[in-house]
Amino acid sequence: MLRGGETVLTAVSGGADSVALADVLVSLVPELDLKVHLVHVNHGLRPEADAEQLSVERLAGDLGVPCHVERVTVRREPPWEGLEAEARRARYGAFRAVAERIGAQRIATAHTADDQAETVLMRLLEGAGPRGLAGIAPVRGLLIRPLLEARRTDVEVHLRARGLAWMEDASNRDPRFLRNRVRHDVLPFLERTVDPGIAAGLARSAGLVRALMDDLEGAGARELARLGRQGGAGWVFGIADLRALPREIAAETLRAAALSLGHSGAMRGAGQRALRRLLAPDIPRGLVSAGGLVMERSGRWLRVGRGRVADLEPREFVVPGTLALPEIGAALEARCFEAGSGYVVPRDAGTVAFDADRLPSRLTVRARRRGDRFMPWGGAQERRLKSLLIDARVPRWERARVPLLEADGDLIWVAGLRRGQAAPVGPGTTRILEVTLSVPLVVAARGR
């Protein structure tokens, strides 16, 4: 959890648990050569918020460590996941921002064994799966929970012995919140009527399930590296590749992709079920939104990315030459050379050859437009471009990103897919213009 020498950003609300955490970490500074900073997030949601901020600033002064105060705005209207969830999202976003600013290697939060027991019981009541029943992770990325095996009663004993004051958050008594009902009613009832040590038992069970989840996460990370292709649209997978995996490993692979793009990894039950539906054999298309990311299925492809992807912008292409297409992470490269008797027209879909003397030196590269039609090589009649892209199984999110090469208003190449009938190389050709798309389309990528 801590090896020594780290800068540790310690989240302090002013409550008992976080005050104790700050005190314990500061006491370890000489032994572990730590640099401890406190961070307090003022949500501005309660009348006591400013008093709590002041108490944390005073604590930092007493302990002799820097204190960072972050004021956040919490979303309080749809689309949202409830006040608690939105406050947590804002709070952890502030933690990460401060950690990056000061170069912290760890962010410490003050969750205790009682928090762990409450979390496991809440998730059991909600019908959670193994990930939910694994509870709060002791370590996840930058986050550490040093007090996760300590009981809340032990924390208060420590504070009284050290003569440290703390603030009581009145909202922790509000019965509108499920956690408060579990904390003040359900767990005490179970301790009285079932087992006085039930909180420790729930925390122990969470640890066992956590070990299983660690193995599952490792499998998901390996499959992400093996099956995923990362680009401008995010991570893209072949549905057949994912369906060849055990279902939970496939779902974990998608979660690993989301984590790599900055998602917290947390998904409620409805989101988990929607994710698994995307992998069903009879779902040609679908979309799940979570934490600023989307998981989107189109035919035989599924992507995990940050919302809508950028369309290809139109631009002039002077040939020969190279034209960067940064929005799709690719380039078009055109070279012109004398035709030789042994020249063979490329069969690779990513390269096309034209009779250079039958084309202008300035071409246009653009995305599709509504109503585009195209006369493919070897075709008897024009086709709607939309139909060609669908038949080629280009996923929906990529269709406005496929480069179209245009000469004098005519589409001459759907890059990476089909060439048109213009300027074919023949016996009378003296100069050849070869154009190559540097990165293959998703339709030509790995996957079935």
Side-chain angles (χ1 to χ4, degrees):
M1 190 175 287
L2 288 172
R3 297 180 179 180
E6 295 100 333
T7 296
V8 183
L9 182 64
T10 308
V12 183
S13 66
D17 299 342
S18 61
V19 171
L21 174 62
D23 182 58
V24 168
L25 287 176
V26 170
S27 74
L28 293 173
V29 166
E31 179 183 348
L32 295 180
D33 188 29
L34 303 176
K35 296 179 180 64
V36 176
H37 292 240
L38 306 191
V39 60
H40 176 78
V41 175
N42 188 331
H43 302 87
L45 296 175
R46 295 178 293 105
E48 306 87 0
D50 290 341
E52 291 167 347
Q53 175 183 324
L54 184 61
S55 75
V56 174
E57 292 172 326
R58 189 179 297 121
L59 173 67
D62 292 342
L63 295 176
V65 296
C67 181
H68 309 269
V69 174
E70 297 290 303
R71 290 182 174 269
V72 298
T73 300
V74 179
R75 180 186 289 274
R76 304 185 70 174
E77 59 185 5
W80 73 331
E81 297 180 24
L83 187 61
E84 281 187 301
E86 295 298 336
R88 183 183 188 280
R89 179 175 292 116
R91 182 166 61 250
Y92 276 79
F95 294 163
R96 287 189 291 272
V98 175
E100 182 175 358
R101 193 162 67 234
I102 67 172
Q105 290 82 37
R106 292 295 191 191
I107 300 171
T109 64
H111 295 89
T112 66
D114 295 82
D115 293 311
Q116 182 74 291
E118 293 159 10
T119 298
V120 173
L121 188 53
M122 288 166 58
R123 292 178 179 173
L124 184 64
L125 294 172
E126 293 168 347
R131 182 172 304 284
L133 298 180
I136 303 166
V139 179
R140 179 171 294 283
L142 294 182
L143 290 169
I144 59 172
R145 278 79 182 224
L147 302 184
L148 200 55
E149 295 184 4
R151 295 299 306 273
R152 193 168 288 127
T153 52
D154 298 330
V155 167
E156 294 187 4
V157 167
H158 172 85
L159 291 175
R160 292 190 179 96
R162 294 275 292 139
L164 294 171
W166 68 89
M167 300 282 288
E168 292 287 353
D169 182 349
S171 69
N172 286 338
R173 292 275 176 185
D174 190 337
R176 290 179 300 171
F177 299 121
L178 175 59
R179 182 175 292 275
N180 291 342
R181 298 198 298 275
V182 168
R183 176 178 297 175
H184 300 297
D185 299 327
V186 179
L187 265 177
F189 173 78
L190 293 174
E191 287 173 333
R192 290 194 308 270
T193 61
V194 178
D195 181 359
I198 195 167
L202 288 168
R204 186 168 56 253
S205 294
L208 295 172
V209 180
R210 171 66 52 191
L212 294 176
M213 293 310 302
D214 287 344
D215 290 342
L216 184 60
E217 289 174 5
R222 289 190 295 274
E223 295 301 339
L224 174 63
R226 185 173 74 91
L227 300 178
R229 175 190 176 196
Q230 191 171 20
W235 286 96
V236 177
F237 304 88
I239 286 290
D241 289 335
L242 291 172
R243 286 186 50 76
L245 300 174
R247 188 177 73 157
E248 292 306 314
I249 293 179
E252 185 59 33
T253 302
L254 298 181
R255 183 176 168 278
L259 280 170
S260 77
L261 297 174
H263 191 269
S264 68
M267 292 186 73
R268 307 294 291 179
Q272 294 280 4
R273 290 189 291 274
L275 183 155
R276 285 159 176 77
R277 281 199 298 272
L278 290 179
L279 297 171
D282 57 346
I283 303 294
R285 56 188 284 192
L287 186 142
V288 176
S289 298
L293 297 181
V294 297
M295 296 183 183
E296 180 180 8
R297 176 166 174 181
S298 178
R300 62 176 182 170
W301 302 101
L302 188 150
R303 82 173 180 104
V304 180
R306 292 187 178 92
R308 182 186 169 115
V309 295
D311 292 350
L312 183 72
E313 294 292 329
R315 42 177 61 84
E316 185 178 68
F317 185 16
V318 179
V319 294
T322 299
L323 180 67
L325 306 173
E327 57 269 60
I328 67 170
L332 287 172
E333 300 169 1
R335 65 190 189 101
C336 191
F337 52 89
E338 297 297 321
S341 59
Y343 180 74
V344 177
V345 173
R347 301 184 65 84
D348 178 8
T351 299
V352 65
F354 297 103
D355 186 323
D357 295 319
R358 298 174 66 181
L359 291 178
S361 62
R362 294 179 180 272
L363 306 176
T364 299
V365 177
R366 64 170 177 86
R368 67 172 181 165
R369 298 177 187 144
R370 183 182 297 274
D372 270 337
R373 301 187 72 83
F374 176 65
M375 178 68 81
W377 178 259
Q381 57 185 10
E382 280 190 332
R383 292 191 61 186
R384 288 194 310 153
L385 181 63
K386 178 179 179 180
S387 298
L388 185 144
L389 296 175
I390 291 172
D391 290 348
R393 298 182 178 178
V394 176
R396 292 174 60 85
W397 61 83
E398 288 290 345
R399 292 174 196 166
R401 293 159 55 82
V402 175
L404 305 179
L405 193 60
E406 190 177 70
D408 294 332
D410 293 329
L411 293 182
I412 62 173
W413 187 37
V414 180
L417 290 177
R418 294 286 297 273
R419 67 157 290 152
Q421 296 193 3
V425 174
T429 299
T430 59
R431 292 189 312 132
I432 292 172
L433 178 72
E434 271 193 359
V435 186
T436 300
L437 179 65
S438 64
V439 176
L441 298 181
V442 168
V443 71
R446 179 175 54 197
R448 295 182 295 277

